[in-house]
Amino acid sequence: MILSDIIKRGYFPKELPPPFNTILLANHIGAILPNWRTVVENNTDMSSVAFVLTQIAGELDADFKRRKKLHRESFISKYNSSKGCVFSISKGKLSRRFLQIPNPMHFALLSEKIVAKWGDFENVFALSLYSKSYPVPDTSPTKRSVSTFSKSVADFRTNRLQTSFGKIIEVSVDISKFYPTIYTHSIAWALLGKDKAKVYFKQKDNLQTLIAAGDADAALYKSAEEIDTAIRSCQERQSIGIPIGPDTSHILAELVACRIDSILKAKFDSIGLKACRYYDDYYLYVSTRDEADKVLKGLQLILTDFQLEINESKVTIKEFPFAFEDEFTTTLLQFEFKKTNLVNSLKHYFSLIWGFVEKNSKRPDWVFKYSLRIFEFRTINIPRNSWKLFEDLLFKTALIEPSVLDIVARILLTYNSYLDAISKSKLKNLINSIINDHCPLNHNFEVAWALWIAKTFNIEIDENSANKIIDTKDSIANLILLDLINTTGLVQGHPHINILATELKDDILFSESWLLAYESVKKGWLAPANPNLLNENLFFKLLQDLDIEFYNPTSQLTPHIANRQSSIVIPPTNRQPDINTGIVAPNTPEDIGFY
């Protein structure tokens, strides 16, 4: 595991529009962290000759010491924690998943500590015989920094079938609100085991002595405590939950879950429990319903010990045989588009999609994302004479379920030459409708992608829509809006961006608006009352001096090359997008499934 890989390919959530990236930060992280440690030492080590304060002529030693102490306390208070940007995405018809973009200072420090103890993390991952989602470092520059052990959902389903051999009862259960409820102090429990961690907790005052004597577990406990502190620094010192979105959340969650797996196996090895786990979803296989009940209760006790809970509403107990594939994936996979009558095929296909959404009303995003992948990856090509019908169906789908806007964006880029004035008029209505409907709900993904599509296809944004975006104070959407205002003529009227400028105060660079503040001031898109806003924050001054940016207005999605075997429907990918281009490599025909 390499630190620059986590920073470059595992920091910003993959759901962001293409201009957001951390490439420059990753390229300079090897210099940034040593320089920052020097800054910290010079501002906190009162005995250092390099301490930033010097004694004033005639100043008493006691007064100088008091002044140094106040400076040290002020520095620590300012830099000890931050709040991440929030970026919400759809999680069904009504619920949302709230992703976070932690402050780069605290995220880099957390990532550094994880990388330093990667071998110990892998030791815990190896304890689990159930996990099919534990993280594996990925060296491909086009993927996330870590991938799951199972290469796809299809691979996981195959593992489930193999695991269930010899058992007739399947118990499926998931951990309720797993990432948001992980207790950060349980990192030590996961790395050492809870009983051993408690022993060292009682020896906290003697840790350095134990470490000096060669106690490896004491050193590991100290590292676990440092990781715990680093997590909490990313979220205003909160000890409940971990930042969701970066690859570190996957790594930390698996650390805890793999320890739980090992405890569960030891507890029920006597009855021959078999199990698979994918992220927070457990599939437990037993021989009788009595065993199923015992395992469920046992898992709940173990989770409670880690301050976690079973999601009771999703517990199911099934006896084989039963269907193990979703009906919509099986049906859509077998759908054949008739080249001689593509218009009717398109009508039939979208009718099927909308019908499945009606049946699967809790997760319409799953159905829509699955079904549109064949057009995104050009498994099915749309000729010009069928475009207008497809365009209407695509825009209607986007209006129904805007969580597919990233897929729609690439499809439209693929067929950009087909878009005429009528298409642009429809697209303008769609974009402004999505902005007006989703801004009041703080639906960040939908608004941000609607704006990015507007920029990509030169669609005007009316002043009222722009003001609604500004009122959300969402960093992602407002950065795209400021880009449009400052580099294009697409935003009508005079939106009240002064509202954003008035928020640019001293503490904003460690607030949830850090990304908006840094990028807008650095690019000259907003003028803070204090022109030295960036220079007075010593960490962001380091970034500014290295010309590091997190928003590249020229980045764009790249359309996929056409698939010549257009009569074969290849299911959607479960792979991660290219960190630079946003391209997602399509799955093989066997790589079936959607998670």
Side-chain angles (χ1 to χ4, degrees), residues 189-305:
W189 306 346
L191 277 171
L192 289 94
K194 191 170 184 180
D195 291 340
K196 187 181 290 185
K198 285 184 173 181
V199 170
Y200 284 103
F201 175 78
K202 295 176 181 178
Q203 294 288 320
K204 288 181 76 169
D205 294 338
N206 299 320
L207 277 183
Q208 288 303 127
T209 302
L210 294 171
I211 294 170
D215 189 331
D217 285 337
L220 183 57
Y221 180 83
K222 184 175 185 293
S223 295
E225 291 284 276
E226 291 172 352
I227 292 171
D228 174 8
T229 300
I231 297 169
R232 289 185 285 117
S233 292
C234 290
Q235 51 192 29
E236 292 188 309
R237 316 303 299 171
Q238 293 181 48
S239 61
I240 302 297
I242 57 176
I244 304 169
D247 285 1
T248 50
S249 60
H250 177 198
I251 293 167
L252 293 166
E254 279 293 324
L255 184 77
V256 174
C258 284
R259 176 64 70 173
I260 290 171
D261 292 348
S262 68
I263 298 170
L264 181 64
K265 183 182 186 305
K267 187 177 183 68
F268 292 104
D269 221 17
S270 60
I271 65 170
L273 172 68
K274 295 184 177 181
C276 284
R277 179 180 55 77
Y278 197 64
Y279 293 98
D280 56 355
D281 292 321
Y282 276 96
Y283 294 86
L284 310 166
Y285 298 99
V286 293
S287 299
T288 67
R289 289 187 174 267
D290 183 55
E291 287 180 351
D293 186 57
K294 289 178 180 178
V295 169
L296 262 178
K297 291 177 179 177
L299 176 58
Q300 180 60 78
L301 285 172
I302 296 168
L303 291 175
T304 299
D305 206 32

Side-chain angles (χ1 to χ4, degrees), residues 29-319:
I29 198 65
I32 291 169
L33 289 179
N35 289 342
W36 178 243
R37 276 190 282 271
T38 299
V39 171
V40 172
E41 183 178 351
N42 292 346
N43 283 272
T44 59
D45 186 356
M46 294 167 54
S47 62
S48 171
V49 295
F51 195 78
V52 293
L53 298 183
T54 56
Q55 193 164 6
I56 302 170
E59 184 178 24
L60 296 176
D61 289 345
D63 291 337
F64 180 44
K65 184 177 180 180
R66 188 179 303 110
R67 190 158 58 90
K68 288 199 294 184
K69 184 178 180 182
L70 288 172
H71 176 87
R72 179 180 185 275
E73 291 173 351
S74 176
F75 181 91
I76 293 173
S77 176
K78 180 176 181 177
Y79 292 100
N80 74 343
S81 69
S82 59
K83 190 173 183 179
C85 297
V86 175
F87 187 72
S88 75
I89 63 174
S90 174
K91 189 187 175 184
K93 190 171 183 179
L94 297 175
S95 59
R96 307 289 293 180
R97 176 174 284 112
F98 294 92
L99 307 180
Q100 291 186 45
I101 309 172
N103 191 281
M105 172 188 154
H106 295 112
F107 180 78
L109 293 172
L110 170 61
S111 300
E112 182 183 42
K113 294 182 186 305
I114 290 174
V115 169
K117 304 307 293 182
W118 186 251
D120 295 291
F121 274 65
E122 288 188 314
N123 290 339
V124 177
F125 299 152
L127 293 176
S128 173
L129 298 182
Y130 301 156
S131 177
K132 306 304 177 185
S133 54
Y134 69 80
V136 179
D138 203 315
T139 57
S140 171
T142 63
K143 297 181 180 179
R144 297 292 289 188
S145 65
V146 294
S147 58
T148 57
F149 173 72
S150 285
K151 299 305 179 185
S152 68
V153 175
D155 186 28
F156 175 64
R157 285 176 174 167
T158 300
N159 285 327
R160 281 173 55 193
L161 287 173
Q162 293 170 341
T163 300
S164 67
F165 180 77
K167 302 293 181 180
I168 62 170
I169 304 293
E170 178 189 82
V171 182
S172 62
V173 59
D174 72 12
I175 303 173
S176 180
K177 300 178 181 177
F178 185 29
Y179 289 15
T181 59
I182 289 176
Y183 185 43
T184 63
H185 299 330
S186 68
I187 298 301
W189 306 346
L191 277 171
L192 289 94
K194 191 170 184 180
D195 291 340
K196 187 181 290 185
K198 285 184 173 181
V199 170
Y200 284 103
F201 175 78
K202 295 176 181 178
Q203 294 288 320
K204 288 181 76 169
D205 294 338
N206 299 320
L207 277 183
Q208 288 303 127
T209 302
L210 294 171
I211 294 170
D215 189 331
D217 285 337
L220 183 57
Y221 180 83
K222 184 175 185 293
S223 295
E225 291 284 276
E226 291 172 352
I227 292 171
D228 174 8
T229 300
I231 297 169
R232 289 185 285 117
S233 292
C234 290
Q235 51 192 29
E236 292 188 309
R237 316 303 299 171
Q238 293 181 48
S239 61
I240 302 297
I242 57 176
I244 304 169
D247 285 1
T248 50
S249 60
H250 177 198
I251 293 167
L252 293 166
E254 279 293 324
L255 184 77
V256 174
C258 284
R259 176 64 70 173
I260 290 171
D261 292 348
S262 68
I263 298 170
L264 181 64
K265 183 182 186 305
K267 187 177 183 68
F268 292 104
D269 221 17
S270 60
I271 65 170
L273 172 68
K274 295 184 177 181
C276 284
R277 179 180 55 77
Y278 197 64
Y279 293 98
D280 56 355
D281 292 321
Y282 276 96
Y283 294 86
L284 310 166
Y285 298 99
V286 293
S287 299
T288 67
R289 289 187 174 267
D290 183 55
E291 287 180 351
D293 186 57
K294 289 178 180 178
V295 169
L296 262 178
K297 291 177 179 177
L299 176 58
Q300 180 60 78
L301 285 172
I302 296 168
L303 291 175
T304 299
D305 206 32
F306 279 79
Q307 300 195 14
L308 298 166
E309 293 182 346
I310 280 177
N311 187 342
E312 292 186 16
S313 66
K314 292 187 177 181
V315 174
T316 61
I317 300 176
K318 298 178 182 178
E319 184 170 343

